[in-house]
Amino acid sequence: MRKHLMSGLMLALGVVTTGCAAPLELVKGQGTLFVIYHEAEAPSSVAMAASDLQDYMYQATGAKLAIVNEPGEPMICLGDNPASRAAGLSVGDIPLEGFRIVTKGRNLYILGPDTADDEHTPRGGTSTGTRNGVYTFLEEFVGIHWLMPGEHGDYVPKTADLTIPDTDLTDAPFFLNRRVPYTQQSRPEVKRWWARQKLGWSLYLNHGHNWRRSIPASHFDQHPDWFAERGGVRVPPSGRYKLCTTNPGLIRAFADAAIAYFNARPEATCYSLSPSDSAGWCECPKCTALYEQDPNGNLSVTPAILTFYNAVARLVAQKYPDKILAGYVYAAYVFPPKKPIKLEPNVFLVWAPSFDYGYTLFRPELQKQWAELLPQWTQVTENIAYYDLPVNVQSEAGALNPPGLKILKFIYPRLKAANIKGVYVYGIEAWGRGAPVNYLLAKLAWDPDADVDAIFDQYCEKAYGAGGADINQMFRLLDAEMERHFLEYPAARYTLTTDMMRDVYAKNLPEVERLYRSAEAKVRDPDARARLEMIGDNLTVLHWNLRQFKLLEDPQASSFYLSDADFFEFLKKRTGSLALTPTGKTAKSSKLSKKLMVSPAKKPPNAEEVQTFLLRGDQHLVLYPTGEGDIELSFSRITARGKLVTYTAYDADGKEVTSGLMSSEAPLNLDAAGSAYYHLTIAGGSASFQVEVTGGAWAVAGSMSDQGLHFLSHVTPVYFEAPAGLKSFHLSLAATPPGETAIATLYAPDGREAASFDCTAVPVDRKEIAVGAGDGGWWKLVIEEAQTGVLDDVWIKAGEELSGYFSLVPDQALSVTAAE
């Protein structure tokens, strides 16, 4: 909503209005008679707004308005207080988070509903209406723009005079919950940017995947019937496991988890019911009776999920009738049910149309599907918000993120027309490759009818100064190329693929480089230049990655070329930069500081020749020097999937020795005399790679995820040690059938076949293995392709009875146990 009445002439901003009321001469010749007034006990959001108002007024005009806690004319009066009420103003008719900016007599009033610091709105959020009004005033009347976080993020025009016409402006956000996550929002400077962009929520929604937290895997031994049935058996929970949503005991336990959450947090207003991600739905008769086919002929579990949401919500409402239970409608439950299901009043849905992730809404058929589904969901319930990543390339590889202008113009007006209550739309963590997208998403979160092209054009002009036209052209080129790519490559989604790197980024790098260097030659303003350099940093990262994939004919011809050594130094100098995606490290495990007993083992019995293998994701290796020279690790067959794969090496005391970026052209060397043994952690994300070690024995931990050691498509026999005297241990094989399958055979130290594993029908095959009197020593697990499906993602997990470390190269087997 927006009501805007102005009269007079505001020459400094070029805004012409009509009327006869006297304007307010706020600043004249860098001088002012005005003060900024707010009550001493005003909420901290008002105090923050007053401080920012003072600071930006001074930056823009040279006039510093004093902040006072007693009213005195002429003043800028902030908040709902006796002075504003004496002027006949009230916040009673202003929606939460909204504001009014009005001139009266000699004063300017900015006010809106403000929750106290220890207060929440009835639906669990906060309202910072006055602060939102101050930031709107600074944007619309002073010309300030918060283009991005950080010291170079503000655009502040200079003027010695500032006159405010007779004004009465009221505005409020359309969406009650407005978030642009994945923008490094935990950083203080990004939090300030969020506030200045008027992001926030008067309606609090907690909707993250929550099945594992609510029903931990530890319940399986006592209540296997709570967990998904697959292939006729209850599947031991691993990874993103599923539950049996029709089981009464499970429903009661889930409701009890929500009630316990509210008991411990009386101020909380929302609990998430959302299932774990991925597939693996229960196949018991009661659950499958609720499943149906979606319009595309695929499995839809929507009726089962909505029935589960209702069942839990009814139980929770018996104690907490006013609390909200939020849950996704997403993936295999993204389509509405064929038969209407009336939702409980305390259920709040969050529609996440996963079929449109990336830039797939460039495809007409998916636009049609999206447009048909949205009103269907709003017929199911009015309690619905929106979750999406529709204009995203997930990448740490420096690939500039096109703004997706057509897609944004398609989505946001329709969300408004459907009366969607909130938006949770992914931004881009690397501000150097995605700042325009983040800015657009923030503006549309407040006003979904905003002019997308005008916002983008203004952004480029303000952010990059004299080079703005070149950068505008560069992003629009990539936007058009991404649209073409998504129309020509039907498998393209939101992850950066080799095809996308070749077809969009390598192909267009010469023109992108030309436009960037053209802008660089024109920009003189230091802040604009710093913002431009953030783009350049990403293009340097992009160039290195394109070179790694051998997608450039003549890499050294580019002005972005750096040798590997120079590139690694380049990244080190920019650690913590907002410009780049924070690659970080794997979380330092407490295991790194615990002493280990490590020793190279004799070649395990019945050892086989090492096969090509690919590890996937985060890994933890333990390495033991076996010679006088360095331990050398070489990495090969790296498929980064848009990620910069980093590693960190620690000595036996858990002290960091070195860190770096995984490259097939740059091996890692560890001093044999530097430590009794080393830990190496690899932040792999979804990347896959092979490791070769010389000069040392080594083992890899199966504890970096609760699914175990992760292989991708290529496996080799795996060896592990069972200590003498052990009576039994657990071992599991996991895959994602029916499409991705695996079988395995376990051999005891004497070579006999001890067990077989089969993941053609069940995603996890977990067995307890009896250990005979002479069975202490090295066991071997041989993983193979099954007769059905394909061998792709495979996990091996050892029970707590074992050390959890696996050796992959028998000649370099390493015994690893915890020190006593």
Side-chain angles (χ1 to χ4, degrees):
M1 61 164 289
R2 169 168 281 216
K3 297 177 182 178
H4 195 168
L5 302 172
M6 296 197 313
S7 63
L9 184 65
M10 189 164 55
L11 294 176
L13 294 176
V15 178
V16 179
T17 61
T18 61
C20 57
L24 293 181
E25 194 173 70
L26 204 58
V27 178
K28 179 70 173 177
Q30 297 187 319
T32 184
L33 300 175
F34 278 76
V35 296
I36 300 170
Y37 160 68
H38 67 78
E39 287 187 295
E41 61 273 19
S44 59
S45 63
V46 176
M48 174 184 173
S51 177
D52 272 358
L53 178 60
Q54 180 190 57
D55 179 42
Y56 284 104
M57 286 288 292
Y58 178 71
Q59 289 186 52
T61 70
K64 189 162 188 177
L65 284 68
I67 299 175
V68 300
N69 298 133
E70 294 293 335
E73 295 189 347
M75 63 179 171
I76 302 178
C77 178
L78 302 184
D80 179 22
N81 54 48
S84 62
R85 290 191 289 273
L89 304 176
S90 168
V91 299
D93 294 331
I94 302 175
L96 290 173
E97 301 189 87
F99 59 83
R100 186 178 179 187
I101 302 172
V102 58
T103 54
K104 270 186 172 281
R106 301 175 63 203
N107 304 319
L108 172 66
Y109 297 87
I110 305 176
L111 67 160
D114 299 310
T115 47
D117 293 345
D118 58 351
E119 180 187 8
H120 290 90
T121 65
R123 305 184 82 176
T126 58
S127 181
T128 57
T130 298
R131 188 175 72 187
N132 292 339
V134 167
Y135 294 140
T136 298
F137 171 79
L138 287 169
E139 277 193 305
E140 297 203 7
F141 293 86
V142 189
I144 308 294
H145 294 278
W146 296 280
L147 302 166
M148 61 180 69
E151 61 177 318
H152 301 291
D154 302 343
Y155 174 83
V156 183
K158 308 298 183 183
T159 181
D161 305 310
L162 181 63
T163 299
I164 308 301
D166 186 45
T167 297
D168 192 347
L169 183 156
T170 300
D171 199 8
F174 177 79
F175 300 116
L176 306 182
N177 186 297
R178 305 172 309 286
R179 289 180 282 176
V180 184
Y182 299 96
T183 50
Q184 302 191 54
Q185 66 270 19
S186 63
R187 295 175 62 143
E189 65 269 43
V190 183
K191 289 180 179 180
R192 288 192 293 270
W193 185 86
W194 269 45
R196 291 163 181 166
Q197 294 297 340
K198 299 173 289 193
L199 297 171
W201 50 89
S202 58
L203 164 66
Y204 175 73
L205 293 174
N206 176 10
H207 49 71
H209 299 291
N210 203 31
W211 280 13
R212 293 172 58 186
R213 189 177 296 109
S214 299
I215 307 295
S218 57
H219 286 302
F220 181 79
D221 289 337
Q222 280 193 307
H223 303 285
D225 56 322
W226 291 3
F227 296 84
E229 179 180 309
R230 303 279 291 176
V233 299
R234 297 289 172 171
V235 178
S238 176
R240 299 167 169 178
Y241 55 81
K242 294 297 188 290
L243 304 174
C244 180
T245 59
T246 58
N247 184 285
L250 177 278
I251 292 168
R252 178 74 260 179
F254 208 107
D256 287 343
I259 291 168
Y261 176 84
F262 291 132
N263 288 343
R265 302 164 184 82
E267 75 287 354
T269 57
C270 185
Y271 188 79
S272 176
L273 304 178
S274 296
S276 301
D277 213 344
S278 302
W281 301 101
C282 183
E283 296 174 350
C284 80
K286 286 186 176 180
C287 285
T288 53
L290 294 174
Y291 299 163
E292 57 191 22
Q293 278 193 344
D294 69 26
N296 297 325
N298 300 316
L299 173 70
S300 173
V301 300
T302 303
I305 295 302
L306 296 188
T307 301
F308 168 73
Y309 286 174
N310 272 341
V312 174
R314 279 192 292 270
L315 293 176
V316 175
Q318 293 173 9
K319 183 168 185 180
Y320 291 111
D322 297 326
K323 305 291 189 181
I324 295 172
L325 287 304
Y328 290 137
V329 280
Y330 157 76
Y333 47 112
V334 74
F335 288 89
K338 293 179 180 178
K339 295 181 180 179
I341 296 176
K342 184 179 179 181
L343 292 184
E344 295 296 315
N346 55 339
V347 172
F348 207 109
L349 299 183
V350 180
W351 186 47
S354 43
F355 58 81
D356 81 354
Y357 289 1
Y359 294 83
T360 57
L361 282 178
F362 279 136
R363 298 170 183 153
E365 68 276 13
L366 290 184
Q367 279 198 14
K368 181 175 182 292
Q369 179 172 282
W370 189 102
E372 291 173 348
L373 287 182
L374 177 61
Q376 292 177 32
W377 274 115
T378 56
Q379 289 173 12
V380 172
T381 179
E382 293 181 353
N383 291 338
I384 188 165
Y386 186 72
Y387 175 116
D388 206 354
L389 46 150
V391 288
N392 299 68
V393 176
Q394 282 197 353
S395 169
E396 294 178 7
L400 301 187
N401 201 97
L405 301 176
K406 288 183 181 179
I407 292 172
L408 297 178
K409 286 185 279 190
F410 171 81
I411 289 176
Y412 278 86
R414 288 170 173 80
L415 295 178
K416 180 180 179 181
N419 199 27
I420 292 294
K421 301 301 190 296
V423 284
Y424 184 97
V425 180
Y426 282 33
I428 305 299
E429 286 191 301
W431 286 81
R433 73 179 191 91
V437 170
N438 294 342
Y439 189 84
L440 281 162
L441 293 176
K443 294 303 181 189
L444 291 166
W446 181 271
D447 178 10
D449 285 330
D451 186 327
V452 171
D453 285 309
I455 294 172
F456 178 74
D457 291 343
Q458 183 190 62
Y459 183 88
C460 292
E461 174 192 344
K462 304 299 184 188
Y464 307 112
D470 291 316
I471 299 304
N472 189 316
Q473 184 180 345
M474 180 187 74
F475 274 109
R476 286 182 180 272
L477 166 67
L478 291 174
D479 217 16
E481 284 292 280
M482 192 64 78
E483 178 177 10
R484 177 192 57 77
H485 179 82
F486 269 75
L487 292 174
E488 294 179 5
Y489 288 75
R493 295 290 310 281
Y494 61 94
T495 52
L496 182 68
T497 63
T498 304
D499 283 339
M500 195 182 294
M501 292 175 74
R502 178 188 304 107
D503 185 54
V504 176
Y505 292 100
K507 172 186 171 184
N508 291 287
L509 183 62
E511 180 62 7
V512 167
E513 183 169 354
R514 185 192 70 78
L515 289 166
Y516 177 82
R517 295 304 181 195
S518 174
E520 184 181 53
K522 298 171 185 175
V523 173
R524 296 292 178 266
D525 175 76
D527 288 325
R529 190 168 191 84
R531 294 188 284 266
L532 186 67
E533 288 172 354
M534 293 172 73
I535 295 176
D537 285 352
N538 279 270
L539 290 174
T540 298
V541 175
L542 174 64
H543 181 278
W544 185 85
N545 279 279
L546 294 174
R547 179 163 65 86
Q548 298 302 301
F549 282 83
K550 298 179 171 52
L551 297 176
L552 301 175
E553 290 185 8
D554 186 5
Q556 295 189 36
S558 171
S559 59
F560 293 111
Y561 172 83
L562 290 177
S563 67
D564 281 350
D566 288 342
F567 180 70
F568 298 157
E569 187 62 29
F570 163 90
L571 284 182
K572 284 183 179 180
K573 288 180 179 178
R574 287 158 180 78
T575 300
S577 167
L578 272 169
L580 302 177
T581 304
T583 54
K585 304 174 183 177
T586 54
K588 185 176 179 180
S589 169
S590 59
K591 293 182 180 180
L592 299 185
S593 57
K594 293 180 180 179
K595 291 294 185 181
L596 299 175
M597 294 178 61
V598 299
S599 61
K602 293 181 179 179
K603 188 173 183 177
N606 302 303
E608 298 185 26
E609 184 178 346
V610 179
Q611 304 296 314
T612 296
F613 64 87
L614 289 176
L615 297 173
R616 187 172 193 184
D618 295 351
Q619 301 293 341
H620 171 200
L621 280 62
V622 176
L623 302 115
Y624 180 89
T626 55
E628 295 182 0
D630 291 348
I631 302 174
E632 182 176 284
L633 287 91
S634 299
F635 304 103
S636 60
R637 300 172 64 91
I638 302 168
T639 302
R641 295 176 179 83
K643 180 172 177 59
L644 291 175
V645 183
T646 60
Y647 60 77
T648 307
Y650 303 87
D651 66 15
D653 295 321
K655 181 180 178 181
E656 183 175 328
V657 174
T658 187
S659 61
L661 186 66
M662 183 183 289
S663 169
S664 58
E665 300 178 13
L668 166 64
N669 290 281
L670 298 171
D671 183 2
S675 181
Y677 60 88
Y678 291 94
H679 298 274
L680 181 74
T681 61
I682 298 172
S686 60
S688 55
F689 47 88
Q690 183 163 348
V691 179
E692 275 190 64
V693 177
T694 57
W698 64 287
V700 57
S703 57
M704 291 303 284
S705 80
D706 63 1
Q707 290 178 279
L709 179 63
H710 192 175
F711 290 95
L712 180 69
S713 70
H714 294 81
V715 294
T716 191
V718 172
Y719 306 86
F720 61 91
E721 192 174 23
L726 189 67
K727 293 188 177 180
S728 68
F729 62 84
H730 288 84
L731 189 70
S732 63
L733 178 75
T736 56
E740 299 177 11
T741 59
I743 58 174
T745 306
L746 179 67
Y747 296 91
D750 62 4
R752 76 181 189 280
E753 183 176 323
S756 61
F757 298 79
D758 188 336
C759 286
T760 56
V762 296
V764 180
D765 189 358
R766 179 173 178 258
K767 286 184 165 56
E768 184 174 6
I769 309 299
V771 180
D775 286 342
W778 287 88
W779 294 61
K780 177 177 70 174
L781 183 71
V782 179
I783 306 166
E784 298 176 288
E785 291 187 30
Q787 291 185 348
T788 62
V790 297
L791 185 68
D792 201 52
D793 287 289
V794 182
W795 294 266
I796 306 165
K797 183 178 181 180
E800 294 180 355
E801 309 91 345
L802 301 174
S803 73
Y805 288 91
F806 299 97
S807 288
L808 309 184
V809 180
D811 289 328
Q812 298 174 322
L814 185 66
S815 173
V816 182
T817 57
E820 297 296 334

